[in-house]
Amino acid sequence: MNTPDHATSAAPTLAERVYPDALAHAESELLKRRREKAGVVASEKASPREAMNDATGLAFSGGGIRSATFCLGVAQVLARRGLLGKFDVLSTVSGGGYCGSFIGKLFQQRGDPVAASGEIANNQSWPVRWLRESGYYLAPGGSADSWVILSLLLRNWLAIHVVLASYLLLPFLFAAAARRGLWNCPAWVECEKWFVPGLDPGVFAVSPWFVLLAAIGALMMFLPGALFWLTQWRALFGDVDAQEKAQSGFTRWLAFGAKLAAGVLLVAVMDTAASWIHHAFEKSPGVMGGFAAVYAAAAAGFGWVQKAAGKLSALAAKPQKNPSMWTIAKIAGFAWAALFWLLLAVAGQAVLWSGGAEMSDLAGLGKQWSCIAALAFGALIGVWLLAKVYPFVNLSSLHHFYSARLGRAYLGASNDERKSERLPVTEPHRSDDCEWRAYRPHEHGGPLHIINTTLNETVSGKSQIEQIDRKGLNFALGPAGLSASGGHHALWVSDPATPAGSDKIAGIALPVSNGKPPFAVFPAETKNVEKLWLSDWVGISGAAFSTGMGANTSVGLSLLLGFANVRLGYWWDSGIEHPSDANGNSRKLAELLARLFPAPGSLLDELLARFHGPQRRRWYLSDGGHFENTACYELIRRRVRFILCIDCGQDEAMTFEDMANLVRKARIDFGAEIEFVPEGEVAAALAPPHVPAEFATLNKEWIGLPDGFESLAAKDGAAVKTSGKCHALLARVFYDRKPGEPRGLSEPGTVIVFIKPTLTGDEPLDIRQYHSAQPSFPQQTTMDQFFDESQWESYRRLGEHIAESLIPVPAAPSAPAGATGADS
């Protein structure tokens, strides 16, 4: 595949860097075929970039099943008004992807945009009834299904603990073997009084790891520190560059020594505690009962963390709402990790003192060191073989369970075979799902579907493409290619020789600056990447509860969620190997361990929140809302003409946090300014040519500014009945504007209509009654993923009601046939 080579041409503009010509060309070709099938007038724009700028976009935001159900109600009205097929690009995040994938799959299955729109519009069609009946998509079988889920959770929880224990026990086994070997040396035996509790009553015994700590301090900290001061004598060096290079080298040496010393100090403290606990066991076996009780309580915490995962994830996003609980959660994570490590250290002490001899007879025990050494090397081989089974990392998480349930509930709704065979949602069917490359709704009149995820990166500066605060970058998957961060892109390559289980991509070359090629996420040559299915990508995009949460990632919370196995993220094999960092000795050691022990290494990275972004071959992907939750980010990248955004992120207080995040990221990444349109300019902003004619007649009465919305949070114990007099906001996106340059109403750009779930008092009776019973409706917590019939219908009907208020019936009715009739 040929891609433009910017390395030999003039430096690209910002617009060309964030949306390169090769990607614009590929997507414009798909857009042309989509419009032909949908019966939409083809764009008359000359260039591919201009054709994409003329496109219309639909954005379904994150918000779990709440967002999916509300978005469905809006989509039904769009279908009845004949507008659903007018949207060229559909961008989805998290829960919005549930509904978006349902719509895309239905267009593909039916092969006819009119028929697909008719079924979406019809409340009594089989697909819509299926969605209504699948509100409990995670546990549709009731109590029987709950037992299956519990068994799955326990199995995976035990499995990751076994793998982690076998990996983390190795240092203690080898330490025990080395120490038993030293007992053959009389001089070392004389020193053991400082290391064995109770051997000398006048000595507080510590771990011999402190000896290693002292050696590291001398060789890795004192020595490079002293040598650094010697480099201040410029006479020792030929020039300033050599002097600065030497200073930098000793500084990195010192930094590596400090990290190594900190790690050994932790092991030494843990081993000291373990030796005293083991000594207490020997003196009083009853102590074992108390020790076991502590671990039983920690294990019981597994269930609590599983149940509270949603609250913990929400707390990570807004720790200031409950700082004490946030502190407790982080401390609990560190405490759980410490208890687990302490248990392994005690096991190491038990191995050390195995053999039946008295502690005072160290020479006798030393003769048996070969048995401990054989055990340690045998364990190393076993762990190394087990560590090569990398699929275990993803299979032991909740990803496959979550994605499978989403596939049956939302993709299964378009499966005629499931309908004819009368299969319940608890049973899988081969035709529910499809490979991502085979998912092509645009070829049947549907939109080009873009799914947004977050590529987590917490090891700062590794890829040199992300700001530290974000701890991740947007990773978008489209029908033509992939985009990571602002300016990294790759195209899909069709090649019959691609190995089974893989897809092939070709990176789009980046411009060379100052003669040095920049860090490129996607190399220019073709690469084989892991092949995933549509349900997998929808599940990854909705992996809200996970150890990696973009900017909200916290080590303490990652430890807590990781040990409870609340892991919805996915380690995706990108097939891309980047060269090691020549300046990082600690990174080299970490990369070596990751290569030798890939499976437990990845598990440990999850627990410690150490995500290397695109620098390592396997990328940790999670909920796209961890980066940007409105789903408008990729549409602004393409500078589409008009965006209808269904913003369903939880926003009970109406603070518009997700919109504010979009405004910041659009300005920083794309140089785009998003401004909300005041009341006096709404009519002008909605007039052609700013928006397509079919969207120019939106009911302006329901469009307001952020200060026109009111909080739905209960006041003085009483439910708030309305959230203001508005259902939507209108914004203009201005590109390439110079600082201080005044805006003009005729300036080209993007028009965005944001629809929010709001209550204005004119809702149908059933919606008002449900809000009275559930005051947090329609902003209920995202952790609620089990919708009963009344809850599901209330969200769908509210979406339908708001869309009906905003979008008038066309003067010449163009609703698809069957939009109001029942499905036979």
Side-chain angles (χ1 to χ4, degrees), residues 215-300:
I216 292 174
L219 296 176
M220 304 295 294
M221 299 181 70
F222 175 77
L223 182 59
L227 292 174
F228 176 84
W229 290 112
L230 290 177
T231 62
Q232 303 304 309
W233 293 356
R234 186 169 297 179
L236 297 175
F237 302 92
D239 52 42
V240 175
D241 289 341
Q243 181 186 26
E244 291 181 348
K245 186 176 181 180
Q247 290 174 348
S248 178
F250 288 130
T251 300
R252 289 196 300 270
W253 186 359
L254 180 63
F256 175 64
K259 291 181 181 178
L260 191 60
V264 173
L265 176 62
L266 285 175
V267 175
V269 170
M270 200 64 66
D271 194 53
T272 299
S275 66
W276 279 97
I277 290 173
H278 184 268
H279 177 62
F281 288 167
E282 293 291 324
K283 292 184 63 177
S284 176
V287 175
M288 182 73 77
F291 195 65
V294 172
Y295 279 93

Side-chain angles (χ1 to χ4, degrees), residues 93-438:
V93 167
S94 194
Y98 305 174
C99 182
S101 61
F102 157 70
I103 291 173
K105 188 73 164 26
L106 189 65
F107 270 87
Q108 179 161 310
Q109 289 290 102
R110 299 299 178 262
D112 178 2
V114 175
S117 294
E119 290 191 64
I120 293 169
N122 182 4
N123 267 332
Q124 297 304 315
S125 69
W126 187 84
V128 174
R129 294 205 312 268
W130 177 266
L131 293 181
R132 181 180 291 110
E133 293 166 2
S134 301
Y136 286 98
Y137 71 99
L138 287 178
S143 59
D145 211 28
S146 298
W147 282 107
V148 174
I149 296 173
L150 179 60
S151 300
L152 173 70
L153 294 176
L154 284 173
R155 182 198 69 188
N156 289 353
W157 181 72
L158 289 171
I160 67 164
H161 276 72
V162 169
V163 171
L164 285 171
S166 63
Y167 181 60
L168 296 176
L169 186 60
L170 286 177
F172 296 107
L173 289 179
F174 278 97
R179 191 170 171 187
R180 288 284 281 262
L182 287 172
W183 288 345
N184 291 310
C185 174
W188 178 266
V189 171
E190 288 298 318
C191 298
E192 280 289 344
K193 66 179 181 180
W194 299 99
F195 308 136
V196 180
L199 197 60
D200 187 336
V203 173
F204 180 83
V206 296
S207 170
W209 283 90
F210 279 103
V211 176
L212 178 60
L213 179 63
I216 292 174
L219 296 176
M220 304 295 294
M221 299 181 70
F222 175 77
L223 182 59
L227 292 174
F228 176 84
W229 290 112
L230 290 177
T231 62
Q232 303 304 309
W233 293 356
R234 186 169 297 179
L236 297 175
F237 302 92
D239 52 42
V240 175
D241 289 341
Q243 181 186 26
E244 291 181 348
K245 186 176 181 180
Q247 290 174 348
S248 178
F250 288 130
T251 300
R252 289 196 300 270
W253 186 359
L254 180 63
F256 175 64
K259 291 181 181 178
L260 191 60
V264 173
L265 176 62
L266 285 175
V267 175
V269 170
M270 200 64 66
D271 194 53
T272 299
S275 66
W276 279 97
I277 290 173
H278 184 268
H279 177 62
F281 288 167
E282 293 291 324
K283 292 184 63 177
S284 176
V287 175
M288 182 73 77
F291 195 65
V294 172
Y295 279 93
F302 154 72
W304 180 85
V305 176
Q306 286 278 349
K307 187 175 181 180
K311 290 183 178 179
L312 292 171
S313 299
L315 190 61
K318 299 178 181 179
Q320 67 278 4
K321 293 188 68 175
N322 195 337
S324 59
M325 182 58 68
W326 175 235
T327 302
I328 292 172
K330 290 192 293 183
I331 292 175
F334 285 111
W336 200 337
L339 283 172
F340 184 70
W341 203 3
L342 182 60
L343 179 63
L344 299 179
V346 171
Q349 288 291 323
V351 172
L352 173 67
W353 295 106
S354 62
E358 295 293 330
M359 287 186 181
S360 57
D361 185 17
L362 298 182
L365 287 173
K367 295 175 182 178
Q368 303 173 24
W369 76 272
S370 58
C371 296
I372 307 293
L375 174 64
F377 278 102
L380 175 63
I381 294 173
V383 171
W384 179 72
L385 292 174
L386 181 64
K388 296 298 181 182
V389 187
Y390 195 86
F392 167 81
V393 178
N394 289 320
L395 290 172
S396 64
S397 74
L398 300 177
H399 164 78
H400 288 286
F401 164 77
Y402 176 54
S403 298
R405 293 300 169 96
L406 283 176
R408 295 175 202 172
Y410 286 91
L411 305 182
S414 61
N415 185 0
D416 285 334
E417 294 181 44
R418 179 177 285 278
K419 175 184 176 183
S420 62
E421 296 174 17
R422 300 182 181 275
L423 279 180
V425 71
T426 54
E427 296 294 327
H429 193 282
R430 63 187 180 278
S431 298
D432 287 344
D433 210 349
C434 65
E435 295 175 357
W436 173 256
R437 295 297 306 281

Side-chain angles (χ1 to χ4, degrees), residues 641-642 677 680-698 700 703 730-732 745-751 753:
R641 179 183 178 191
F642 175 75
V677 178
E681 298 178 11
V682 169
L686 284 175
H690 302 308
V691 300
E694 54 266 26
F695 298 104
T697 58
L698 293 179
K700 302 167 186 60
I703 299 176
L730 184 66
R732 291 281 308 274
L745 290 177
S746 61
E747 185 177 346
T750 299
V751 174
V753 174

Side-chain angles (χ1 to χ4, degrees), residues 463-484:
S463 68
Q464 300 177 349
I465 63 172
E466 272 308 302
Q467 295 182 1
I468 296 175
D469 290 341
R470 296 185 179 187
K471 299 180 185 176
L473 52 142
N474 193 65
F475 181 64
L477 185 84
L482 310 167
S483 294

Side-chain angles (χ1 to χ4, degrees), residues 70 654 656 677 679 682 699-710 712 722-730 754-763 778-779 798 801-802 805-806:
F70 183 86
M654 292 296 165
F656 302 93
V677 178
E679 184 177 352
V682 169
N699 193 337
K700 302 167 186 60
E701 175 187 352
W702 300 106
I703 299 176
L705 288 170
D707 57 10
F709 293 78
E710 298 176 5
L712 275 170
T722 71
S723 50
K725 299 180 180 180
C726 308
H727 289 310
L729 301 98
L730 184 66
F754 293 96
I755 295 179
K756 289 187 72 72
T758 52
L759 300 174
T760 56
D762 65 338
E763 291 77 22
Q779 298 292 340
L798 180 62
H801 169 73
I802 291 176
S805 302
L806 276 170

